[in-house]
Every structure is written in C-alpha cells, then in structure tokens.
Amino acid sequence: MTGQEVRSALQALAEQAGVSLAALSRMLGRNDAYLQQFVQRGSPRTLAEADRRQLAEFFGVPEVRLGAAHAAGPVLLPRLAVAASAGPGATVDDEVMIGVEALDRRLARRLGLSDGTASVIRVRGDSMAPGLMEGDHLVVDETDRRPGKRGGLYIIRIGEALMVKRVRAEAGGLVATSDNPAAPPVPEGPMTVVGRVVWQMRLPA
C-alpha cells in the first residue's frame, strides 16, 4: 500500500468507528495532533510498528490494512553460541551466532517480538530448576531490560558471567535470585540486564 492509501484507510476507519484522530492519538500515548499530522501531512511517513499494531487491534482489522508488509513466514531468531548459566555463571567472550531458530509469527506477535529484537540462548546448570533445565532454549526479548517490582526471568551479566535469574526491582536496585533453593548465591557485582525471557523451548529427550 502507498502512504496515501494507508492514511486514507486510517481516516475511514476512524470515521466508521466514530472516534477522533485526537482520541486515537491519546490511546497510543501520543500528543493529540500525532495522527492528524500523519493523515493530513504525511508526518511521520509511516506508523511506528507498535502504533500500527495497537490501531489494528482497536479497529479489528489486519495490520496490512494500515501499511504492514505481508509477512507469512516465521520470525527468524539468531541462536547465539553462549549459554545463560543457571548455576554460578558461564563466562563468555563474544556472542556469536551459530544458527537460527524459527518462531511462528503469530506467537512472536503475541510475545511482542519482531524481527531483530530477540535471540535464542541455551540454559546451562540447574539453579533455576525445575522451571528451567539444562539444555532448554530461551527466547530473549532484548528490548525489555527494565525489571519491575513483580519481577520476571531475565538474562543478566555480572562481570563476565552470563546468567538467567529471577530479577525484580527494589528500592535499593535490582535483586537477582535463583528458583532452586539448593543453588549457590548469585555472585555480587554490577548487574547488566541483557533481556527478558519470554518463551522457553525444551527439546525432546
């Protein structure tokens, strides 16, 4: 679709739904003039992917109606030659891609992933057992690096050690813990969050 066709489609959908462009802009967390400028001036030239997805869900139409490319194939995620230790920590030098993993595009969309935003790494150790086991492959959303108070599974780096841990935000900073009570303490030191674990793949024995 051309830019003009997308702008016309958005205008028509808004009119059919009886909602203003300003209200839709606020729904997206944008200023009131955001979509009006897009429709009338072509600025921005294309809708941001997250905005397009939210609008498509609101109107109940496929994203291609609002300018998304036809993408029927899976999302290909780089598989890295590193292991996120569920033990004391795997020391790594470089994150080298050794292959790709195919993830169903509909599942990727539900997980909030798109091409180029995630990777796959392997679990090593048992400190996150029984939820995560040796050899599991984890899909990591590299755009989500800010754990909240409720916490979640994150890939973190402390020094040269790459680990998968349960991380939550507290008043004094981030706290990382293991699920296995028999696991050794998490090493001390400055913590870098690599990304959030959004999917787990366990290969058949």
Side-chain angles (χ1 to χ4, degrees):
M1 297 179 69
T2 66
Q4 182 57 52
E5 288 172 333
V6 173
R7 294 192 292 272
S8 298
L10 177 58
Q11 180 75 62
L13 288 168
E15 291 175 355
Q16 292 168 10
V19 62
S20 69
L21 294 175
L24 291 171
S25 297
R26 289 194 293 273
M27 177 187 75
L28 299 175
R30 305 279 190 168
N31 66 68
D32 286 10
Y34 172 65
L35 289 179
Q36 186 174 4
Q37 291 176 342
F38 171 70
V39 168
Q40 296 182 354
R41 302 180 187 175
S43 176
R45 295 182 62 184
T46 59
L47 291 170
E49 183 176 343
D51 294 342
R52 184 181 63 225
R53 181 182 305 122
Q54 191 171 350
L55 288 169
E57 291 176 353
F58 176 82
F59 292 122
V61 299
E63 285 189 54
V64 293
R65 183 91 175 267
L66 295 173
H70 291 270
V75 172
L76 300 179
L77 306 179
R79 179 157 42 90
L80 304 180
V82 297
S85 176
T91 300
V92 298
D93 296 319
D94 296 299
E95 296 178 355
V96 180
M97 188 177 78
I98 58 174
V100 295
E101 297 278 357
L103 192 67
D104 180 81
R105 191 167 291 273
R106 289 171 297 181
L107 173 59
R109 183 171 298 176
R110 289 200 299 272
L111 297 174
L113 304 177
S114 58
D115 297 275
T117 66
S119 57
V120 175
I121 63 175
R122 181 175 56 83
V123 173
R124 184 164 68 192
D126 62 358
S127 73
M128 298 303 289
L132 300 181
M133 303 297 292
E134 173 93 25
D136 286 354
H137 285 77
L138 306 178
V139 177
V140 182
D141 180 358
E142 297 175 3
T143 68
D144 187 344
R145 300 181 178 183
R146 300 183 63 181
K149 293 181 179 179
R150 296 180 61 182
L153 287 175
Y154 284 83
I155 305 300
I156 60 173
R157 182 178 275 112
I158 299 178
E160 292 300 315
L162 192 71
M163 292 166 280
V164 54
K165 296 296 174 186
R166 198 165 298 279
V167 183
R168 67 182 184 277
E170 293 189 351
L174 297 178
V175 175
T177 58
S178 301
D179 286 353
N180 186 344
V186 177
E188 297 184 357
M191 182 191 309
T192 300
V193 178
V194 176
R196 182 170 65 92
V197 176
V198 294
W199 194 254
Q200 173 186 359
M201 297 180 286
R202 180 165 296 171
L203 301 180

